Amino acid sequence: MKNKKTILVYLSLFFILLFSIVIYLNEKNYEERVDLVLSNKLSKLETNYKIFMYNQKVLADNIFDDTMNIKSVLKILTQANETQDANKITLLRDELQKILEKKYSQIKAKGILQYHFVFPNNHVFLRMHKPSKFADDLTGIRQDFEYVNKHKKIVRGFSNGRTAHGFRNVYPIFNEQKQYLGAVEVSFSSELLQEYLQNISGIHSHFLINKSIFDSKAWERDDMVMKYFQSAENSDLMFHITSSHTHERCIVNNTKNLLHIKDKIAAKIKLKEKFVLHIPISIQSNVIAFYPVKQNITQDVVAWVVSYEYVRLIDTIYKDKNYILVSIFIFLLIVFYFFYKNITQQQLITQKSQEQERLLSLFDKGDSVLFKWKNDENWSVEHVSKSVETLLGYTVEEILQNKIPYSSSIHLDDLQTVIDEVKEGSKSKNDFFAHNPYRVITKDNKIKWVLDYTTIVRDVNGNIEYFIGYIVDISEQKNKERLLFEQSKLASMGEMIGNIAHQWRQPLSVISTSATGLQMQYQYGVLDKSTIPSICETINDNAQYLSTTIDDFRNFIKGERELKKFNIKDTITSFLHLVKPSIKSHNIDVILLMKDNIEIEGYENELQQCFINIFNNSKDALKELKDQEKLLFIEVLEEDENHIKIIFKDNGNGIDEAIIEKVFEPYFTTKHQSQGTGLGLHMTYNMITGGMHGKISIENVKYQYNTNIYYGAQINIILPKVYEDLD
């Protein structure tokens, strides 16, 4: 009896020790899994922030370039720098404001906050956003203007003024004689950033400003452009409430929700580095991420982008932790009992195996395929979820034993691209990259389209240890897109059938009249044999015309994707033959400028489809002209010894500059929904760039023809003379 008690005591002590270790390991595992989720959310915020900043940089650069290309702007700034006459400067300022008024209205709609010209001495020449305020000295207030005027270099980034903050791009201005004229600012607000995060990525965000960047009394001034409130996150930070925020949710509720982690936030903010925290008790948001924003000159952290998200996966992980803890506790009790009752070792192993299988099965549910592979030449797979059987048809064992390397299941045409994307992603400092959609071949030789997202795991030295990625099947979306392309071509074919019916009327009438006339002359005995050859020739000519029409339409409808050499003039002639009735019915005058002997290698049928799509867009524009000439120019010339250039130009009054950059996007159309799908020019863009390895662009042009001035859209196509397989 005493021996049993001793064993029971030892077993109890062992149980307590073992379960303490389990609690520690389980808690550590829980923290690691939550940290992985938090890290992904922080990476998501950082990636979206950087994408937004890059997009705004491109937009600001384009605005600056467009402004500098207006010669009258440089002329006015040059004159303003060369005079001391206040009245003349005022006139020049008013003139510049008038020139840029329409442009400012356009860029303001894109989110530009300030469009601001400053003299080399830091005195304001013109604020397009507040033209009534000028001539004030920004020395000591705007460090970015001082820096640009001193060093003649571009400055970008976040900064504050007297009454507002913003993401500013400040550019030095030189005239054609390289004379320095001052600086111009193109800036956008933090509100635009928050709208981008909300609308594009569904991220609810706050933009918090350090109190120290403005004068202490500035927060109470009436002339502040933006209204600020004490933030719920930290007492040293002020919060700018936008139209997407409410005081109740963002300040009152968050003050309560963040109460338990307020000290952690304060400590992390002092480090001035990005961080993310889990809000343990919250029904509104359970993940809060902070990304630092630095002042553009001093590089001090003066603001923070803060994202709030509710991630249900954390709740699932928490439930898993408790489930595992309870399961292991029960398991250890069972083991304790079996040890005490001298249960065999085999029963113990079986029980542990069952418990382990139940735990591992949690990671094999869902549609996405999870991979973990080494950073080696063979991409050796260390783990793959069972859902790989649904995607590829191969078992987990076949993948793990390298019987079928994942790289061998990638479509050969896409393999090099995938390899290059892995190399590029590995070179970057980011911990995450996404592949462009690519094709995989399943075990039963079916082709599927997938999206592939990869996280890079590095050691303390920054070396890549392994990759964790998940793959999603998007074949259904791709098939829908392909179906829409086919529908677009069927619409063109339907119009071609109508064209053929129209084209055949006259030649059929001629054949019928000639044959009937010949028959009647014969019946009444007045047939002149000398006229028979002429009549037969007329019938034959019209029959040959019908045959040519059939051949052109047959070649178009077959749609065979055959790589071959062809004469570009013959292709254009065939295309014009197909749309000839439409040209006639709309009174369009087609002017051809091309050589006879230009040959290229490519897909003729696809190129003809492109010409038809372009013609249809020009036709729709020309239909709007009332009692005016309707012109369509088609010009073919040699761009260089390896490329040709094809130009389509009309006089249909062009395309609105605000939307001209979008015409090649899918589903974008200027017509009513019932008149078009918006896929014609998008399909043309894909066939020219992807199918023919060429380039296509569109612009509005003003030109002279027969002493008259016309304005319209011009599409430029550049194609290689010899097709090269880029794969």
Side-chain angles (χ1 to χ4, degrees), residues 92-245:
L92 291 170
R93 180 184 300 108
D94 293 342
E95 184 180 355
L96 181 59
Q97 181 190 351
K98 187 175 181 181
I99 291 171
L100 296 179
E101 190 171 11
K102 182 177 179 182
K103 181 176 184 62
Y104 179 63
S105 177
Q106 293 172 344
I107 65 177
K108 187 177 180 181
K110 296 180 180 180
I112 295 303
L113 178 67
Q114 294 180 336
Y115 194 31
H116 189 182
F117 294 83
V118 173
F119 285 123
N121 62 359
N122 301 322
H123 285 246
V124 175
F125 177 53
L126 172 64
R127 291 182 173 93
M128 288 299 295
H129 57 284
K130 191 185 288 187
S132 61
K133 186 174 182 180
F134 52 84
D136 49 315
D137 187 1
L138 297 182
T139 303
I141 298 170
R142 288 290 301 276
Q143 294 178 335
D144 43 7
F145 273 124
E146 292 184 66
Y147 181 92
V148 172
N149 280 331
K150 180 178 179 181
H151 298 283
K152 315 298 188 293
K153 295 180 179 179
I154 299 174
V155 168
R156 307 181 192 275
F158 179 84
S159 71
N160 61 286
R162 286 192 183 97
T163 61
H165 65 266
F167 294 92
R168 310 181 192 273
N169 299 268
V170 184
Y171 304 86
I173 305 174
F174 297 89
N175 61 17
E176 293 178 351
Q177 289 74 38
K178 305 301 181 183
Q179 177 188 356
Y180 184 65
L181 304 178
V184 60
E185 169 194 353
V186 180
S187 68
F188 53 94
S189 67
S190 60
E191 185 171 353
L192 185 64
L193 167 62
Q194 292 173 276
E195 289 176 358
Y196 172 87
L197 293 174
Q198 181 68 53
N199 297 334
I200 302 300
S201 301
I203 299 176
H204 177 77
S205 63
H206 293 179
F207 195 85
L208 309 183
I209 313 293
N210 196 311
K211 286 182 178 180
S212 63
I213 70 169
F214 289 118
D215 182 84
S216 60
K217 296 181 180 179
W219 302 104
E220 301 175 0
R221 284 164 53 180
D222 294 332
D223 64 339
M224 292 289 282
V225 174
M226 302 174 178
K227 296 301 180 184
Y228 301 89
F229 298 86
Q230 173 64 57
S231 75
E233 291 83 359
N234 187 267
S235 59
D236 291 332
L237 302 177
M238 301 295 287
F239 175 41
H240 167 49
I241 292 184
T242 70
S243 58
S244 63
H245 301 101

Side-chain angles (χ1 to χ4, degrees), residues 27-41 276-279 286-287 311 313-318 321:
E27 190 67 28
K28 187 175 180 63
N29 177 61
Y30 165 74
E31 291 173 356
E32 288 176 351
R33 292 177 65 190
V34 171
D35 286 345
L36 180 60
V37 175
L38 297 180
S39 176
N40 286 338
K41 293 304 175 183
V276 60
L277 294 173
H278 173 219
I279 307 173
N286 62 358
V287 174
V311 183
L313 180 58
I314 293 180
D315 294 339
T316 301
I317 294 173
Y318 180 76
K321 181 192 78 166

Side-chain angles (χ1 to χ4, degrees), residues 380-578:
S380 303
V381 178
E382 291 186 332
H383 174 78
V384 62
S385 60
K386 288 184 178 179
S387 49
V388 72
E389 298 176 9
T390 303
L391 178 65
L392 296 178
Y394 296 106
T395 64
V396 172
E397 289 72 21
E398 287 176 310
I399 300 293
L400 294 180
Q401 294 172 12
N402 210 28
K403 292 181 179 178
I404 174 68
Y406 179 70
S407 58
S408 66
S409 66
I410 299 175
H411 196 289
L412 287 177
D413 291 345
D414 299 335
L415 180 58
Q416 190 57 50
T417 301
V418 174
I419 293 173
D420 292 341
E421 288 171 344
V422 172
K423 290 180 180 178
E424 288 299 317
S426 301
K427 290 178 183 177
S428 70
K429 295 182 180 180
N430 296 329
D431 294 330
F432 174 85
F433 66 90
H435 290 280
N436 287 313
Y438 62 86
R439 291 162 291 178
V440 293
I441 309 298
T442 65
K443 190 173 185 178
D444 54 359
N445 288 321
K446 291 182 180 179
I447 296 178
K448 292 184 178 181
W449 282 89
V450 297
L451 279 177
D452 187 342
Y453 302 92
T454 302
T455 297
I456 303 173
V457 181
R458 307 176 191 270
D459 60 21
V460 292
N461 297 318
N463 299 316
I464 298 175
E465 290 186 321
Y466 54 88
F467 301 90
I468 296 176
Y470 64 95
I471 299 171
V472 182
D473 185 355
I474 60 166
S475 301
E476 184 176 350
Q477 295 93 312
K478 279 287 182 180
N479 289 335
K480 289 180 180 178
E481 183 177 316
R482 190 178 299 109
L483 178 60
L484 286 173
F485 280 138
E486 292 299 325
Q487 289 173 343
S488 178
K489 183 163 184 178
L490 284 174
S492 295
M493 288 164 54
E495 186 173 349
M496 291 303 103
I497 291 172
N499 288 345
I500 284 180
H502 189 82
Q503 279 181 275
W504 277 20
R505 285 183 186 138
Q506 184 176 350
L508 284 174
S509 177
V510 172
I511 292 171
S512 176
T513 301
S514 298
T516 303
L518 189 64
Q519 184 181 19
M520 290 180 65
Q521 290 178 39
Y522 175 77
Q523 288 175 349
Y524 289 100
V526 293
L527 177 62
D528 183 355
K529 293 184 178 180
S530 64
T531 64
I532 293 177
S534 175
I535 295 173
C536 290
E537 184 177 353
T538 299
I539 293 174
N540 182 63
D541 289 344
N542 282 274
Q544 291 300 322
Y545 177 80
L546 297 179
S547 177
T548 301
T549 303
I550 292 172
D551 289 341
D552 287 340
F553 184 71
R554 181 189 60 202
N555 292 334
F556 174 75
I557 201 173
K558 277 168 60 180
E560 293 180 351
R561 198 170 193 270
E562 178 185 359
L563 181 65
K564 64 179 181 180
K565 274 192 175 183
F566 56 91
N567 185 291
I568 193 67
K569 183 178 180 180
D570 293 343
T571 303
I572 291 176
T573 301
S574 178
F575 138 69
L576 290 174
H577 195 193
L578 287 171

